[in-house]
Amino acid sequence: MKKMKHPRTLKLIKNYVPKQPMSDEIEIYPNGIFQFFISKIIEDIESGIFTPKKERINIDKWRKTHTLSFVVNEEHLETVDTKKPIIQAEIRVGRFEIIDGNHRLEKAFREGKKNINSYKIHGKELVPYFYDRKGYECFVKYWNSKLEES
């Protein structure tokens, strides 16, 4: 009997070419070999090309289930706007991490806010936003292997 593919299995695109940001300002979120073009994600959201799900994050609940994975830059913290949505991405199946807006989340926490707005990007939606082909190919293999384990 042939094993059925998981419905969230990613198919490797043979001629994959990552999207490129329009401006010279490039922001990348590095997560090991997986590097995501934050600047292109934001560009596509602002232009309406990409409309990820919006979600309000309960800050206390988030902090209880996630570890602080960045060094707080106190000078930068003063300048961030907590009204601007953060971006959370499903880098691991069923687990979301903040890939843009950690300082906004930290500032909102320090200000005693209960919630913060976010864009929630699922694994499949991340595919166009890899910095390079190698990271994309490794992500597809990683993602699919985790689906097989579940």
Side-chain angles (χ1 to χ4, degrees), residues 93-126:
V93 177
R95 174 110 172 138
F96 289 81
E97 299 296 332
I98 295 172
I99 63 170
D100 182 62
N102 281 298
H103 281 87
R104 281 173 266 157
L105 181 75
E106 180 64 19
K107 184 174 182 178
F109 170 73
R110 291 183 186 186
E111 291 177 345
K113 294 184 178 178
K114 299 290 182 207
N115 300 293
I116 192 163
N117 292 322
S118 77
Y119 293 111
K120 189 172 189 174
I121 303 175
H122 292 270
K124 184 177 184 176
E125 295 171 315
L126 287 170

Side-chain angles (χ1 to χ4, degrees), residues 1-108:
M1 182 175 211
K2 187 177 178 183
K3 187 177 176 183
M4 290 189 54
K5 273 189 175 181
H6 191 283
R8 295 189 70 198
T9 298
L10 295 177
K11 183 178 179 189
L12 196 62
I13 302 166
K14 289 183 182 186
N15 299 322
Y16 176 81
V17 177
K19 287 186 169 196
Q20 297 296 310
M22 300 298 276
S23 75
D24 292 335
E25 279 190 44
I26 296 174
E27 182 181 354
I28 295 171
Y29 176 80
N31 186 306
I33 196 165
F34 312 143
Q35 296 181 36
F36 304 98
F37 259 138
I38 299 303
S39 46
K40 186 60 182 169
I41 293 170
I42 293 168
E43 216 174 76
D44 284 358
I45 290 171
E46 289 175 351
S47 70
I49 291 170
F50 178 41
T51 53
K53 179 182 176 189
K54 292 179 183 177
E55 179 179 273
R56 289 188 51 81
I57 293 176
N58 179 293
I59 296 168
D60 287 335
K61 284 183 183 177
W62 184 274
R63 289 174 59 92
K64 286 177 184 170
T65 59
H66 295 78
T67 56
L68 189 65
S69 61
F70 73 106
V71 176
V72 176
N73 177 332
E74 296 295 335
E75 287 181 23
H76 177 62
L77 192 69
E78 294 175 18
T79 67
V80 299
D81 179 4
T82 59
K83 291 182 176 125
K84 181 181 173 188
I86 65 175
I87 299 174
Q88 56 173 316
E90 187 182 25
I91 298 171
R92 295 186 319 206
V93 177
R95 174 110 172 138
F96 289 81
E97 299 296 332
I98 295 172
I99 63 170
D100 182 62
N102 281 298
H103 281 87
R104 281 173 266 157
L105 181 75
E106 180 64 19
K107 184 174 182 178

Side-chain angles (χ1 to χ4, degrees), residues 123-139:
K124 184 177 184 176
E125 295 171 315
L126 287 170
V127 167
Y129 300 104
F130 280 88
Y131 175 73
D132 62 19
R133 183 179 177 88
K134 183 178 180 185
Y136 158 71
E137 290 174 351
C138 289
F139 181 77

Side-chain angles (χ1 to χ4, degrees), residues 134-148:
K134 183 178 180 185
Y136 158 71
E137 290 174 351
C138 289
F139 181 77
V140 170
K141 289 175 191 170
Y142 166 79
W143 181 269
N144 292 339
S145 73
K146 293 302 177 188
L147 289 174
E148 289 172 10

